[in-house]
Amino acid sequence: MASIWKGSLSFGLVNIPVEVRTAIQGDHISFRMLHEEDLSPIKYERVSSSTGDAVPWKEIVKGYEYAKGKYVVLTDDDFKAAAMEASRTLEIVDFVQQDEIDPRYFETPYFLVPSKGGEKAYALLREAIRKTNSVGIGKIILRQKQHLAGIKVVGEALVLEIMRFANELIDTDSLNLPKSDLVRPQELQMAEQLVTSLAEPFDPSKYSDDYRLNLMRVIKAKMKGKKIALTPEPEEPRDAQVVDLMTRLRESLDQGKKRGAVRSQPHSAASRERKSAKGAKTARRTKRKTA
């Protein structure tokens, strides 16, 4: 895994030589646009909206639309003038409690890996962040663009997470959202019980992209010249009548209890088998002693 940035991570007077490496991998299925007649790939041309003619790259400029149909053209020199000076230091300017940060700020994670000589300082910062349950906040210039960045701990790794700036988030005040006083205490208590009954440790391996799996089945079948018919799972019929919320909560809670009982059955059966085997072993031992 190649590094995409090398420099140092600093807080106070401490400088840690680090490298930034990708922490996620794309898992999407790519397609090409083809001509149906001979399956030749389709090329895209840059066409003028006024003349309909193809325009070569050398005649294309970048423009900012400041009003409807009004543009100001920017040159390469303009972009160079606005560019931030490339820095090889990511300075942590603040440490913030993790639960104080709106999750919408976080965007793309990267691993921070210590370079030679930075191992001890790296481990020291990692454990300090872990113990204080905080996030280091700073800025980094990555691929010619400045980003807000958060430094977190995931296992034994420091993770740099690219963050959105405040102006990129939409204020929830602009949304028409229900007030909490609509909820009755009895409903809230039962909803909490339902959530508790369905609570499980997070296991990401349980969740898969079903659409991607189905699509790959279709692709593999067509590669072999076969056709595959995927039968969708039938949806449970929904009651069209308006039902009291408490009734729905009670029904859901009962289903949750049944599901929990089913989950625990294999463990109970295994436990009974172990007890039975242990009892048989003890009986054999006692018989040998008596003999």
Side-chain angles (χ1 to χ4, degrees), residues 200-225:
E200 293 240 356
F202 178 58
D203 179 8
S205 64
K206 288 171 52 179
Y207 315 107
S208 59
D209 184 346
D210 296 329
Y211 172 73
R212 185 186 188 282
L213 293 174
N214 285 343
L215 198 55
M216 285 307 301
R217 289 192 191 104
V218 172
I219 290 172
K220 289 177 180 178
K222 297 198 79 169
M223 287 170 63
K224 296 176 181 178

Side-chain angles (χ1 to χ4, degrees), residues 86-144:
S87 172
R88 287 297 172 187
T89 301
L90 195 174
E91 181 182 1
I92 298 177
V93 294
D94 294 305
F95 285 96
V96 181
Q97 287 297 295
Q98 188 160 335
D99 57 8
E100 292 181 4
I101 305 176
D102 187 327
R104 294 177 301 158
Y105 277 103
F106 296 109
E107 187 175 353
T108 308
Y110 294 91
F111 285 127
L112 276 178
V113 181
S115 299
K116 188 176 181 180
E119 293 85 359
K120 184 173 181 179
Y122 180 97
L124 177 65
L125 176 60
R126 181 191 63 206
E127 297 310 313
I129 291 177
R130 192 199 308 275
K131 292 286 186 183
T132 56
N133 193 34
S134 58
V135 177
I137 305 295
K139 291 180 182 178
I140 183 173
I141 297 176
L142 199 60
R143 293 169 176 158
Q144 290 79 51

